[in-house]
Amino acid sequence: MGGGGARAAYQAGVLRYLSRRFPHLHAPIITGVSAGAINAAHLAAHHGTFDQATEELFHLWSSLNVEHVFRTDVPSLAWHVFRWGRQLVSGGVRTGPQVRGLLDTEPLREYLTDRMHAIDGELTGINYNLAMGRLRAVALSTTNYSTGQSVLWVQGQGVTEWERPNRRSRLTTLTVEHVMASAALPLVFPAVQIGKYWFGDGGIRLTAPLSPALHLGADRILAISTRRSRSISEADAPVVTGYPPPIQVAGVLMNSVFLDLLDQDGHRLKRINRLLTGLAPEQRTGMRPVRLVTIRPSVDLGRLANRYEPQLPKAFRFMTRGLGTRHTRAPDFLSLIMFQPDYIAEMIRVGEVDAEKSEPELAALLEPDTATEIDKGVDAIDPRRPTPKEAL
């Protein structure tokens, strides 16, 4: 599950449909990055069935509002803006407490601790599911601000660490702090200290979003994106007139970090699959074809945010309008922090509808015994390697 801030509510809708259509489904390998790490951690730590876990995830998002994520009162917002301004004009001279983020996300830490039933911060349900055999591994991606590396925190059975250039995995016992770090939008949300280093949003340096699932042994992958696939004409249509406001520039930047890479990685995977299926098994040098289905929104979630922007808390709405939310038709950056109940409810609904429309592709992926080897939208699976019927 990829990033996208508040857009991750869309993933909750997709998962809710899956639990109804495939009631006996379970996910032995779960990976998440940024806000997708919240959904991944919840599924991995829930003691109940997949249906019960997705229903509780639905309620987690449905009950969420802006005040559960960051402080929106006037004194808190004003104080953080003042501190940023003082930092910019200080010339590097320390004049007070160090600035760590534009918003205070302590409410989110408290909310997740309560909803995920964490004990002293630990997501104890993960160990329970590993012991019960329901779960093989879960991985959350973060970025080490101290070294610039992408760090994948993994908890699982029979899992070994791996390293790639500027990417490495670390075995650990996952906590709320790992979730907070993965979901810490750069500059907007404060970084989180884990050990002696500071970590932020895992999407920043994660150049291969599908790689964690592949390293953990997945033969089939369901990726849930939070960005609509646009036609060429839609992509060429400007969403601003004149010089782009700061919120538009920030939205383009965030999309490039959190949403574009999944599409690129999926394209690479499909090309590799085609190459591998043309080779004899002994010539594949240990590589294997992997089936991939990507579910993505049928509507532009950035444009959708405009409809619900007037319901934001006044002080927060005043601040975001100062950055130009009223001067763009698709405030993508605003959609990342749009933890507004009516907006979230609509994204969940869209997620359920889109998953239902993709039912044939999902059935081919999740029930391979009833499908042909190559189905529409699904990459070929290695015929030499039978896989569990209940895999995600």
Side-chain angles (χ1 to χ4, degrees):
M1 285 172 279
R7 296 185 185 194
Y10 173 84
Q11 297 170 348
V14 173
L15 293 168
R16 196 178 190 213
Y17 172 79
L18 286 179
S19 68
R20 293 198 302 264
R21 172 59 180 82
F22 307 97
H24 303 297
L25 180 69
H26 73 274
I29 298 172
I30 306 174
T31 70
V33 57
S34 192
I38 296 175
N39 296 335
H42 174 87
L43 290 183
H46 196 278
H47 284 217
T49 64
F50 183 72
D51 178 64
Q52 292 168 334
T54 55
E55 192 63 22
E56 192 166 320
L57 182 64
F58 164 75
H59 289 294
L60 181 153
W61 281 100
S62 298
S63 305
L64 191 67
N65 57 50
V66 177
E67 287 80 6
H68 287 135
V69 181
F70 48 81
R71 302 192 192 282
T72 60
D73 56 285
V74 174
S76 176
L77 291 175
W79 175 237
H80 279 78
V81 171
F82 170 75
R83 288 172 61 188
W84 272 102
R86 183 176 60 185
Q87 182 85 6
L88 290 173
V89 300
S90 68
V93 177
R94 184 68 61 85
T95 58
Q98 186 178 15
V99 177
R100 292 184 176 177
L102 184 60
L103 300 170
D104 182 352
T105 56
E106 186 59 30
L108 179 60
R109 178 179 282 102
E110 296 173 359
Y111 188 76
L112 294 180
T113 299
D114 175 64
R115 289 307 184 102
M116 294 185 180
H117 311 291
I119 300 177
D120 295 328
E122 181 184 341
L123 303 177
T124 56
I126 294 178
N127 263 333
Y128 173 82
N129 287 325
L130 288 170
M132 293 291 292
R134 297 175 177 174
L135 183 69
R136 189 187 312 166
V138 56
L140 307 180
S141 299
T142 63
T143 299
N144 187 332
Y145 285 157
S146 304
T147 66
Q149 294 177 316
S150 179
V151 179
L152 188 75
W153 301 96
V154 182
Q155 186 172 350
Q157 293 197 1
V159 178
T160 57
E161 295 181 350
W162 68 89
E163 294 188 7
R164 295 292 184 270
N166 286 320
R167 288 186 287 141
R168 60 183 58 204
S169 65
R170 289 292 179 262
L171 300 180
T172 190
T173 298
L174 290 172
T175 67
V176 172
E177 295 304 290
H178 293 95
V179 180
M180 291 292 295
S182 185
L185 289 170
L187 300 180
V188 181
F189 292 173
V192 176
Q193 187 173 17
I194 300 176
K196 62 180 180 178
Y197 296 123
W198 291 88
F199 293 84
D201 201 298
I204 298 175
R205 295 298 298 270
L206 188 61
T207 56
L210 300 176
S211 65
L214 297 174
H215 280 291
L216 293 172
D219 289 304
R220 288 172 281 158
I221 299 176
L222 172 61
I224 310 178
S225 176
T226 57
R227 185 178 189 182
R228 178 174 179 262
S229 180
R230 298 181 296 172
S231 66
I232 295 177
S233 59
E234 289 174 326
D236 288 340
V239 296
V240 296
T241 302
Y243 193 83
I247 203 80
Q248 175 66 17
V249 177
V252 173
L253 175 63
M254 293 299 179
N255 281 340
S256 68
V257 171
F258 303 122
L259 305 178
D260 294 350
L261 294 177
L262 177 59
D263 296 332
Q264 297 170 15
D265 205 22
H267 180 67
R268 281 197 298 267
L269 178 62
K270 291 178 180 180
R271 295 185 65 182
I272 293 173
N273 278 345
R274 286 195 292 269
L275 290 173
L276 291 176
T277 52
L279 296 175
E282 62 273 11
Q283 296 177 312
R284 294 177 180 175
T285 63
M287 299 180 69
R288 65 187 187 280
V290 175
R291 300 176 75 169
L292 170 68
V293 167
T294 302
I295 302 294
R296 59 180 69 254
S298 57
V299 300
D300 189 324
L301 300 183
R303 290 177 182 268
L304 187 63
N306 257 340
R307 185 189 308 174
Y308 300 97
E309 186 267 353
Q311 282 73 51
L312 285 170
K314 289 183 179 180
F316 182 66
R317 186 177 69 230
F318 179 82
M319 184 178 72
T320 56
R321 285 184 177 181
L323 296 174
T325 56
R326 306 292 282 180
H327 302 290
T328 174
R329 289 181 289 278
D332 286 334
F333 182 79
L334 179 63
S335 71
L336 301 180
I337 53 178
M338 187 83 171
F339 296 95
Q340 190 66 22
D342 44 7
Y343 178 60
I344 288 175
E346 179 62 12
M347 286 193 294
I348 292 175
R349 187 195 68 81
V350 173
E352 292 185 75
V353 171
D354 290 346
E356 184 174 10
K357 292 178 180 177
S358 303
E359 195 275 340
E361 290 87 353
L362 291 171
L365 181 76
L366 302 175
E367 297 178 340
D369 293 342
T370 63
T372 58
E373 182 174 323
I374 300 178
D375 300 272
K376 181 180 178 181
V378 184
D379 291 305
I381 191 170
D382 189 342
R384 299 179 301 110
R385 296 190 56 170
T387 53
K389 190 170 185 179
E390 297 169 337
L392 182 58

